[in-house]
Amino acid sequence: MIRAGRNACATATGSVTLLALILLMAKAPAVLAGEVFQVTYSWLPELGLNVTFFLDGLGLLFAMLILGIGLLIIIYARFYLSKNDPMGRFYVFLLLFQGAMVGIVLSDNILLLLVFWELTSLSSFLLIGYWKHLPEGRQGARMALAVTGAGGLAMIAGMLILGDIVGSYDLSVILQHADLIQASPMYLPALILILLGCFTKSAQFPFHFWLPHAMAAPTPVSAYLHSATMVKAGIFLMARMWPVLSGTPEWFYIVATAGLVTMVLGAWIAIFKHDLKGLLAYSTVSHLGLVTMLFGFGTPMAAVAGVFHIINHATFKAALFMTAGIIDHETGTRDIRRFGGLLNLMPIAGTIGVISAASMAGIIPLNGFLSKEMMLEEAWHTVWMDQNWIVPLLATIGAVFSVAYSLRFIFHVWFGKPRDADLPHHPHDPPFGMWGPPAFLTVLVVLIGLFPSVIAGPLVAATSGAVVGGELPEYHLALWHGLTPALGMSVIALIAGALLLMRHGGLMSVTANLSRPDAKAMFDCGIAKLVTLSRFVSDNLHNGSLQRYLCIMIVAALAIGLSGFYAEPDHTAGTRELLEVSPTAAIAWLLLVVTCIASVFMHHNRLLSLLLVGVVGLIVSLGFIYLSAPDLALTQISVEVVTVILMLLALNILPKETPKESMPGRKLRDWIVSIGAGLGVGGAIWAIMTRDLPNTISSYHLENAKTEGGGTNVVNVILVDFRGFDTFGEIIVLGIAALSIFALIETVTQGAAAKRLASWVVDNRRSADRHPMMMVVATRVMLPLSLMVGVYIFLRGHNEPGGGFIAGLVVSVALVMQYMASGFGWTQNRMAVNYHGMIGLGVIAAAITGVSAWVAGLPFLTSGFVHVHLPIVGEFELASAMGFDLGVFLTVVGAVMLALAKLSQVERMAEHVDVNLDPMDHDPSVAVATPEKEA
């Protein structure tokens, strides 16, 4: 689609959004009538995490804003972005963000909401930093991610507390328990933590500073994220949680105060911003504070006013941001000081900008006037700290500042004489694709202002009902409500705002000399301090010493174990009787102890140490056989063989002896830690094995392996069914590990590392017969037998010892032997297999097996099985677990062979060995001439 061109990208993206909007609007009439739609998919019900969505009035409003304005932004961006901007990447980021926002407003599970919440932070980071070549874009993206991400972490804790109070993580359940939540002693901690997430997301004081710096993003991003979507996510959550969190003094003083301060502070700063987008950014901060303040009042009528202003702000602010983008696009600058009289040169864009800015100022008869009047009316009736004049006064001051910066946008940009005749570009109206979307929003600004009850009334009522969660007070959306205190406050704001604008130059001179805190500098300083602290901790703890890491982990584990041991004062002996120790077991144990001690004292020689560790593994596998665990024994033996071979290849070009040993003091420390760890692990094993534990999971597995998993091999049923998800994750990790080995070694074969590898000198003697005939013949004979054994182990694994993992290791050993006998290059030329693809195919096969269970309405990776009878073969079982085991088999073989391939490549480069032409160095079928015969 990206290669198809810009129009194809925009059309495809717009089609997705348009389809979603059509589906949403199909449900709108029923939602406006009071109906609530709910859809639930079971995911992890034991953890309270289900994929549950519901659509009510509040969700409908925000989903309409997200999809409706999103569709306009998609059209606008097609004409705004230059040909050098990667359009496909932009639209991918935009759709990702759009989907996350829709997920937030429609989620009925707070855990699911948290997933979408963090996804909006990540996707907005990508959008804000879209112009990654700009330093301010990268810094704005980092700042937004740091602030909103930190708030999101706090909100996660608050939501978990809320779910614990109610006993459910479903929003529809939580919203029914306001009394329980507010009576809980954890109400205040939950409230503060949730509000931290809301305030950081919606740029409320003192977290307001990130939003203006996010204006480094392209204007379509600013118009979308910072007028109708991302910054309103916090507003949405406050509205969603309003029924259960509001109505308390804590809610009022925290939320209303933060909103009031943000409204006044943001409006004051906006007056003095010379950047068009900077002015609009701080105006957004101010209006978000206005809505926050209204929700903080905690009255149903204030909630209605807040909902109405969300609609109005989205219309005029998105139009204003797009207008600012038009000005920047057509003039080449956003500096207000260089503008003046643009209305004559850009009449269409000017008309849109003037009307939208007038609505932002709250001038009659536009929609901004209506919600501003409702805000002032609610402020007039609000008492703060037993004082009834503080909130009305500050709200009026905020309205004065709002009028001032709105009029500045109108008169300093569109009217008057041009201040700079030498603009980078000659101003003119853009194509329809750029002015059409803001024009549509401006029409809504006018229509809602003139006919509020008809255009917005039903949506406001449905949304407000969902926010309040009960009966709404009587109200009427209209331009005229008589001579009210709110009207007087509005008139004062208009007059004082106009006078303030007239004195703008003098105010700029006065404020320029005032010292004021710089939020960006404070943030940068805080980040620098955190980086310094992190570097100090990292340098002292993470110094690259594996010995230190292991020591810290082992000591911590010992401390935790000892604390648990001494926490229980009474320790009784186990009730199980000890088994008799046979002479064979005693000899094996003694051999194991001797080998372990030998590996400790002979660790200087790396090759010998590796062989000793391999012997330890083989003895352990014998122990598994002795304890009737053949599956574990087969796995252990196969893993040991493969590991020793691969490690031998890796050690070949490494020093054969370890470097200088540690000092005596550190050796003593290591001895103490090691002995303590051994005694601790041994003691824990002894305590468990000598006691009968009640209600163990083992009894469940033994009883249900055949009936639910269809197999008598309990170990295999556990791996592919009961704990299949764990196994699925493990093969993914195995595949990633193999790919990591490939990537790491690939860097060794290039650049400076390759030069050092080429200069490596063989440090010991090599056999003259690199590919001995006896080994070649033996491995050729063994190959079909080994493959047959692998297939046999694979097929019997569900009912007898075996399975895909063991079979994969057996086949890997057989293949590795072929490569050892005739060399990797010669063998690979005759058995070309894409091991990357084999790993991917294995993971896909396992995933398809798991997903197929959903078709039958069963949980992921639930096994299905059937018994089939054939005349000659007889009765046998077919189980879906075979498909999962096949995926495990392919992943294991692919991972082992990919690691072998890269290690072999390094070996050939280091030893300067070409690919041999024959399978063995001395072919007996070829006659060798002798001096006697020649004579």
Side-chain angles (χ1 to χ4, degrees):
M1 187 58 67
I2 296 174
R3 295 178 180 178
R6 297 157 58 85
N7 290 331
C9 285
T11 302
T13 308
S15 299
V16 173
T17 304
L18 179 61
L19 178 60
L21 184 60
I22 291 172
L23 294 175
L24 177 71
M25 297 310 295
K27 300 292 185 181
V31 175
L32 294 177
E35 190 173 348
V36 177
F37 294 92
Q38 191 169 28
V39 178
T40 301
Y41 301 97
S42 179
W43 187 7
L44 296 173
E46 293 81 4
L47 300 179
L49 180 55
N50 295 312
V51 181
T52 307
F53 300 100
F54 79 118
L55 179 65
D56 62 351
L58 181 62
L60 176 67
L61 168 62
F62 276 87
M64 286 175 59
L65 293 178
I66 294 165
L67 296 174
I69 295 181
L71 183 60
L72 298 177
I73 293 297
I74 291 169
I75 299 171
Y76 178 84
R78 159 62 185 84
F79 296 91
Y80 178 87
L81 296 176
S82 71
K83 295 181 179 180
N84 297 325
D85 293 322
M87 188 76 72
R89 190 179 70 185
F90 176 84
Y91 281 133
V92 167
F93 294 164
L94 191 70
L95 279 181
L96 177 63
F97 175 80
Q98 186 181 95
M101 280 299 305
V102 172
I104 287 178
V105 302
L106 297 185
S107 292
D108 187 29
N109 185 285
I110 58 176
L111 301 180
L112 182 65
L113 185 148
L114 291 172
V115 173
F116 286 120
W117 187 277
E118 295 303 327
L119 188 57
T120 59
S121 296
L122 294 175
S123 53
S124 65
F125 169 81
L126 297 174
L127 284 170
I128 296 170
Y130 173 74
W131 281 336
K132 56 186 178 182
H133 61 281
L134 299 177
E136 56 269 23
R138 299 194 298 271
Q139 186 180 42
R142 289 196 301 268
M143 187 180 294
L145 181 62
V147 176
T148 60
L153 293 176
M155 196 183 78
I156 290 174
M159 286 295 194
L160 292 177
I161 293 174
L162 205 62
D164 184 65
I165 294 173
V166 177
S168 173
Y169 294 107
D170 290 338
L171 268 172
S172 54
V173 177
I174 292 173
L175 295 178
Q176 304 300 320
H177 292 82
D179 294 337
L180 177 63
I181 292 172
Q182 296 183 9
S184 171
M186 297 302 293
Y187 165 73
L188 185 58
L191 175 66
I192 292 174
L193 291 169
I194 292 172
L195 289 178
L196 279 173
C198 296
F199 287 174
T200 52
K201 203 75 156 183
S202 290
Q204 296 301 288
F205 179 83
F207 310 106
H208 62 285
F209 56 88
W210 70 264
L211 192 148
H213 292 283
M215 292 299 116
T219 298
V221 175
S222 303
Y224 193 41
L225 271 65
H226 305 134
S227 65
T229 52
M230 178 182 174
V231 291
K232 283 197 170 69
I235 299 294
F236 164 81
L237 191 59
M238 283 188 280
R240 178 60 80 198
M241 307 306 297
W242 195 92
V244 295
L245 297 182
S246 69
T248 64
E250 295 88 348
W251 170 272
F252 171 77
Y253 284 109
I254 295 175
V255 180
T257 303
L260 184 60
V261 172
T262 304
M263 180 181 72
V264 177
L265 181 63
W268 171 255
I269 298 175
I271 297 174
F272 305 101
K273 287 296 172 181
H274 300 305
D275 181 13
L276 274 175
K277 287 177 66 175
L279 184 151
L280 294 176
Y282 277 103
S283 74
T284 299
V285 170
S286 177
H287 282 268
L288 292 172
L290 185 156
V291 178
T292 301
M293 178 188 70
L294 286 171
F295 285 137
F297 287 163
T299 63
M301 194 60 220
V304 173
V307 167
F308 192 28
H309 194 70
I310 288 172
I311 299 173
N312 296 335
H313 178 260
T315 54
F316 67 67
K317 187 54 64 69
L320 282 170
F321 266 114
M322 285 189 270
T323 304
I326 290 172
I327 295 173
D328 185 20
H329 192 272
E330 303 304 331
T331 66
T333 181
R334 298 197 307 259
D335 192 342
I336 299 176
R337 294 168 295 182
R338 303 182 66 179
F339 297 139
L342 286 183
L343 185 62
N344 298 324
L345 302 173
M346 308 171 66
I348 298 177
T351 303
I352 296 169
V354 169
I355 295 174
S356 301
S359 178
M360 182 168 63
I363 297 175
I364 197 169
L366 304 173
N367 62 353
F369 169 79
L370 296 171
S371 51
K372 185 190 71 172
E373 291 290 293
M374 296 174 72
M375 179 272 293
L376 293 173
E377 182 68 26
E378 293 305 306
W380 178 261
H381 296 290
T382 301
V383 177
W384 193 85
M385 298 292 288
D386 297 327
Q387 303 295 322
N388 60 0
W389 58 271
I390 295 178
V391 175
L393 176 62
L394 292 178
T396 304
I397 292 174
V400 170
F401 296 158
S402 177
V403 170
Y405 66 66
S406 300
L407 294 181
R408 187 181 180 214
F409 183 90
I410 294 173
F411 289 99
H412 286 192
V413 175
W414 303 108
F415 294 100
K417 296 180 180 180
R419 294 182 179 85
D420 188 350
D422 190 22
L423 294 173
H425 306 302
H426 179 69
H428 59 83
D429 275 321
F432 174 77
M434 286 187 68
W435 66 259
F440 175 79
L441 293 171
T442 305
V443 171
L444 290 180
V445 166
V446 177
L447 291 178
I448 294 175
L450 296 176
F451 312 104
S453 296
V454 177
I455 304 298
L459 184 58
V460 171
T463 305
S464 301
V467 172
V468 174
E471 293 293 327
L472 293 175
E474 185 178 350
Y475 67 94
H476 183 57
L477 301 179
L479 285 171
W480 180 252
H481 292 280
L483 298 176
T484 62
L487 180 62
M489 295 162 70
S490 183
V491 172
I492 292 173
L494 287 172
I495 296 173
L499 293 175
L500 194 62
L501 180 64
M502 294 173 62
R503 298 290 183 266
H504 182 266
L507 284 173
M508 287 293 299
S509 301
V510 173
T511 57
N513 298 322
L514 294 177
S515 60
R516 54 185 180 272
D518 187 346
K520 179 180 179 299
M522 295 168 65
F523 174 82
D524 292 340
C525 179
I527 293 296
K529 296 293 185 184
L530 287 175
V531 169
T532 302
L533 177 62
S534 301
R535 185 173 289 113
F536 173 79
V537 173
S538 181
D539 291 344
N540 286 275
L541 292 180
H542 301 281
N543 63 344
S545 171
L546 294 178
Q547 187 182 40
R548 175 179 292 189
Y549 301 161
L550 287 172
C551 181
I552 293 174
M553 288 190 293
I554 293 172
V555 169
L558 280 173
I560 295 172
L562 289 174
S563 64
F565 181 79
Y566 286 109
E568 180 63 40
D570 298 327
H571 297 283
T572 58
T575 58
R576 286 184 177 180
E577 295 183 2
L578 300 181
L579 299 175
E580 292 185 4
V581 180
S582 65
T584 303
I587 294 173
W589 178 83
L590 182 62
L591 182 59
L592 179 64
V593 171
V594 171
T595 307
C596 290
I597 295 174
S599 65
V600 171
F601 284 96
M602 299 181 182
H603 71 276
H604 305 278
N605 189 316
R606 287 175 167 171
L607 179 60
L608 183 57
S609 298
L610 177 61
L611 295 177
L612 289 172
V613 171
V615 172
V616 170
L618 294 176
I619 297 174
V620 170
S621 65
L622 294 176
F624 287 143
I625 296 174
Y626 180 76
L627 297 173
S628 301
D631 272 287
L632 295 179
L634 283 171
T635 304
Q636 181 73 26
I637 293 172
S638 304
V639 168
E640 288 297 331
V641 172
V642 171
T643 303
V644 168
I645 292 174
L646 293 179
M647 289 297 294
L648 281 173
L649 280 172
L651 290 177
N652 182 43
I653 56 175
L654 292 175
K656 301 304 178 288
E657 294 186 356
T658 59
K660 183 180 178 180
E661 294 295 329
S662 304
M663 301 297 292
R666 182 171 293 182
K667 284 185 179 180
L668 178 62
R669 180 204 67 181
D670 295 342
W671 273 101
I672 294 173
V673 172
S674 302
I675 293 173
L679 292 175
V681 173
I685 294 173
W686 177 269
I688 293 173
M689 296 185 67
T690 56
R691 285 166 171 78
D692 291 314
L693 302 177
N695 302 323
T696 61
I697 193 67
S698 301
S699 59
Y700 173 84
H701 290 156
L702 291 170
E703 294 170 2
N704 296 278
K706 178 65 175 177
T707 57
E708 295 188 14
T712 57
N713 182 3
V714 182
V715 175
N716 184 264
V717 174
I718 292 173
L719 292 176
V720 301
D721 191 318
F722 294 136
R723 302 295 297 272
F725 201 79
D726 289 351
T727 307
F728 183 57
E730 288 163 4
I731 65 171
I732 292 175
V733 171
L734 179 62
I736 292 173
L739 295 175
S740 300
I741 292 174
F742 174 85
L744 289 171
I745 298 181
E746 187 71 15
T747 61
V748 176
T749 61
Q750 301 172 7
K755 294 179 180 179
R756 291 195 300 272
L757 194 62
S759 61
W760 183 73
V761 179
V762 177
D763 54 357
N764 52 19
R765 296 178 61 186
R766 293 290 191 266
S767 171
D769 193 4
R770 298 177 60 88
H771 308 295
M773 179 185 68
M774 292 299 295
M775 187 174 183
V776 173
V777 174
T779 55
R780 295 297 187 272
V781 174
M782 289 174 56
L783 179 60
L785 298 176
S786 301
L787 294 179
M788 185 65 69
V789 170
V791 172
Y792 174 69
I793 290 176
F794 174 80
L795 292 176
R796 63 175 276 178
H798 208 48
N799 293 289
E800 299 290 341
F805 189 80
I806 299 174
L809 290 172
V810 170
V811 171
S812 297
V813 171
L815 296 176
V816 167
M817 295 304 295
Q818 306 304 311
Y819 286 90
M820 291 181 61
S822 298
F824 185 89
W826 185 91
T827 309
Q828 184 66 15
N829 290 337
R830 286 150 183 82
M831 194 180 68
V833 178
N834 184 348
Y835 298 119
H836 295 83
M838 183 178 289
I839 294 173
L841 187 61
V843 174
I844 292 172
I848 291 175
T849 305
V851 172
S852 62
W854 289 347
V855 179
L858 298 173
F860 183 69
L861 279 175
T862 301
S863 294
F865 55 92
V866 62
H867 291 272
V868 180
H869 181 81
L870 294 179
I872 299 177
V873 179
E875 184 174 327
F876 61 94
E877 181 188 67
L878 288 178
S880 62
M882 183 180 293
F884 186 81
D885 247 355
L886 178 62
V888 175
F889 172 84
L890 293 174
T891 305
V892 170
V893 175
V896 172
M897 300 311 296
L898 183 61
L900 176 67
K902 296 310 294 181
L903 288 171
S904 300
Q905 181 184 359
V906 173
E907 295 288 337
R908 293 198 306 273
M909 292 180 62
E911 298 190 9
H912 312 289
V913 177
D914 296 327
V915 176
N916 47 295
L917 301 178
D918 299 312
M920 60 191 80
D921 292 340
H922 302 288
D923 190 346
S925 64
V926 179
V928 180
T930 62
E932 291 80 4
K933 290 183 179 181
E934 291 178 357

